[in-house]
Amino acid sequence: MGRPRKNPQPEVSVPENKPETKKAAVKKPASKTKTTKNTPKKSSAKKTTAAKAEKIKRVQTDSDIFALDIGTRTVVGILGHMQNDQFCVDSAVSIPHTRRAMIDGQIEDIDEVAKITGKVKSQLEEKAGIELTRVSIAAAGRALKTRCASIDADIEEKESVTEDMLKSFELEAVSKAQSMLNEEVKDEKTSFYCVGHTVIRYSIDDYPIKTLLGHKGKKASVELIAAFLPSIVVESLYAVTDLNGLDVISLTLEPIAAMNVIIPPEVRLINIALVDIGAGTSDIAISQDGSIVAYAMATVAGDEITEDIIKRYIVDFNTAEEMKQSSIKGEVSYKDILGFEHTITAQEFYQSLFPAVDLLADTIAKTIVSANGSAPAAVFLVGGGSLIPELPKCVSEKLGIPENRVAVGGKSAMKNVSVGRTKLDGPEFV
């Protein structure tokens, strides 16, 4: 599959060289009692490669679904298959970045992110015995732009609407949305890719209908919302997959993917806001009257909490992350950058974070209201940032809705998904 649709501007070149793996030379001390022949010895890296090759039984097929979430703090890989309209997870791997290679959902160090992504891919290959060559990825909504567009198609002399005709109608509407955006940003240097769209409404002869497939009439209408991201966001994701020998077969927006897991079409009659709070961005999707009607994003997310911990307790980034993930009960122990060790109660620790949590909740609430026009009936929080204590309560207060109308969506909230024996039970995996 080629790159997503974008402005007709020169395409950003993607580096094709793969990241080098430097091997450390290990020198063993010479024996005083025994001389040995100078024979070459296999390195541990070669042994690992050989062992992995023995475990690979076959190449990835169409039924093997490999998906990557290349996040600001963690890279998560999922391998699964479809069975009776249900996605079944066969295995999953999650590896955190060793340093801040991504900021606010944007890849800053391509080689470093490619290295972690490669580890995720290799572990999944070893678990499944499958050589992975194709992947589906989701992009965070950094600098997201959305445009609504609708088209009318004359079908008076045609037979019933086919799937190919429907795809053609939708593509025409996406192209119209792209043209609208192109006109608005024509004076900017940034080009934008279309990374996904969702249909708001189908109509046949001005009669709203669930799907156009199989219907006949004089006029078919499609109204949709298309999502666009700057080329640098998308091309950096492609650079990482290219360096790992992966062809991207589908690309979508993270809140679109999360919506399909938490809020399937049959639930979208309710005005619900889904907020995917990662480390770098808070991505929002809103449903109403059976459709997804809006997308939005905020660059305030989990990292803002981490940065507050860094400044408040004088610790490095990794220590701050560990402190943030401490249990809400008991004590929090840490060592500051000066080498002094400290222990405080968890209650004291989380109370100190309240200003940062309050700011995050306020930003999320304002972004929801801006996209929705008013407070929604309910809110689902997903992503690792949704685990921040007291955040659901703060969001409900900011929106002026009952506290029991803001929930953290984990395993129990996932629809049409079976996680099997994996440990994908938290909101961070949605």
Side-chain angles (χ1 to χ4, degrees):
M1 179 179 176
R3 297 293 198 264
R5 294 178 59 81
K6 63 161 192 164
N7 290 9
Q9 297 184 13
E11 191 168 348
V12 178
S13 61
V14 179
E16 295 182 356
N17 58 303
K18 297 190 177 183
E20 294 181 359
T21 303
K22 295 183 180 179
K23 298 176 183 177
V26 180
K27 187 176 180 181
K28 293 185 177 181
S31 171
K32 295 182 179 180
T33 57
K34 183 179 178 181
T35 57
T36 58
K37 292 183 179 181
N38 188 21
T39 56
K41 295 187 177 182
K42 292 183 179 180
S43 67
S44 58
K46 288 183 179 179
K47 289 181 180 179
T48 302
T49 303
K52 176 185 173 182
E54 289 180 5
K55 293 181 180 180
I56 301 298
K57 302 292 191 299
R58 61 180 176 83
V59 178
Q60 182 180 0
T61 66
D62 290 343
S63 61
D64 302 313
I65 301 172
F66 173 36
L68 277 173
D69 177 6
I70 302 174
T72 301
R73 285 295 297 145
T74 308
V75 177
V76 180
I78 300 283
L79 187 60
H81 65 279
M82 294 300 297
Q83 183 175 335
N84 299 325
D85 295 326
Q86 185 179 57
F87 180 69
C88 302
V89 179
D90 297 320
S91 55
V93 172
S94 176
I95 301 178
H97 297 293
T98 55
R99 59 175 185 263
R100 295 191 77 178
M102 294 180 66
I103 297 176
D104 292 345
Q106 170 63 54
I107 296 174
E108 302 253 332
D109 187 335
I110 289 175
D111 283 348
E112 178 65 22
V113 175
K115 182 177 71 174
I116 301 300
T117 302
K119 290 181 179 180
V120 170
K121 173 179 176 261
S122 294
Q123 289 187 24
L124 285 173
E125 287 178 324
E126 290 185 40
K127 284 184 176 184
I130 299 173
E131 180 185 351
L132 299 174
T133 58
R134 291 172 296 172
V135 68
S136 298
I137 56 177
R142 180 182 171 89
L144 173 71
K145 292 184 181 294
T146 61
R147 294 295 180 272
C148 291
S150 60
I151 60 102
D152 296 327
D154 186 4
I155 56 173
E156 185 174 0
E157 298 179 359
K158 296 182 179 180
E159 297 180 355
S160 56
V161 177
T162 65
E163 190 168 338
D164 286 340
M165 290 167 62
L166 183 57
K167 288 180 180 178
S168 177
F169 298 156
E170 291 184 15
L171 181 59
E172 185 180 348
V174 169
S175 297
K176 185 176 180 180
Q178 180 87 60
S179 297
M180 293 164 58
L181 179 61
N182 288 351
E183 183 62 27
E184 294 175 28
V185 300
K186 61 183 179 181
D187 296 328
E188 298 181 18
K189 295 181 180 180
T190 303
S191 57
F192 287 83
Y193 282 120
C194 177
V195 294
H197 73 273
T198 51
V199 173
I200 297 174
R201 187 177 296 104
Y202 290 123
S203 298
I204 193 86
D205 295 336
D206 296 324
Y207 180 83
I209 201 161
K210 184 177 181 180
T211 177
L212 294 174
L213 288 176
H215 288 282
K216 295 181 180 180
K218 294 182 179 181
K219 182 180 70 173
S221 302
V222 176
E223 181 183 357
L224 54 75
I225 180 171
F228 303 89
L229 292 179
S231 59
I232 186 174
V233 175
V234 180
E235 287 292 358
S236 62
L237 287 170
Y238 273 94
V240 167
T241 54
D242 287 348
L243 287 169
N244 281 285
L246 293 168
D247 291 326
V248 178
I249 60 171
S250 69
L251 168 68
T252 191
L253 200 64
E254 286 182 359
I256 294 178
M259 263 282 189
N260 287 328
V261 172
I262 297 291
I263 308 174
E266 60 268 23
V267 186
R268 294 175 190 171
L269 282 171
I270 307 169
N271 186 201
I272 300 174
L274 180 139
V275 188
D276 182 359
I277 309 170
T281 61
S282 295
D283 297 306
I284 297 168
I286 295 173
S287 69
Q288 190 172 23
D289 298 329
S291 305
I292 298 175
V293 296
Y295 295 107
M297 65 82 62
T299 54
V300 177
D303 273 358
E304 272 63 34
I305 308 296
T306 305
E307 288 169 5
D308 186 69
I309 296 171
I310 291 172
K311 296 173 184 177
R312 189 178 297 274
Y313 293 98
I314 320 179
V315 294
D316 59 35
F317 188 84
N318 290 333
T319 300
E321 278 290 305
E322 292 174 4
M323 293 171 68
K324 188 172 70 174
Q325 295 167 15
S326 299
S327 171
I328 195 170
K329 297 179 180 179
E331 297 179 331
V332 176
S333 298
Y334 66 95
K335 180 186 290 187
D336 63 29
I337 60 171
L338 302 174
F340 295 109
E341 295 185 355
H342 307 268
T343 298
I344 57 175
T345 66
Q347 184 179 7
E348 179 185 351
F349 173 65
Y350 285 110
Q351 281 181 346
S352 73
L353 300 183
F354 179 77
V357 175
D358 187 68
L359 174 62
L360 175 58
D362 189 61
T363 303
I364 289 172
K366 287 179 177 176
T367 307
I368 290 173
V369 171
S370 176
N372 191 54
S374 61
V379 177
F380 266 113
L381 303 179
V382 299
S386 67
L387 295 171
I388 297 170
E390 301 297 312
L391 182 60
K393 180 181 179 181
C394 287
V395 171
S396 68
E397 290 175 352
K398 299 291 183 181
L399 289 171
I401 61 177
E403 188 175 341
N404 61 5
R405 292 290 182 91
V406 179
V408 176
K411 178 180 177 180
S412 60
M414 295 185 194
K415 313 294 182 185
N416 305 318
V417 175
S418 171
V419 299
R421 296 181 179 180
T422 64
K423 298 179 180 180
L424 304 183
D425 57 355
E428 66 271 31
F429 293 109
V430 171

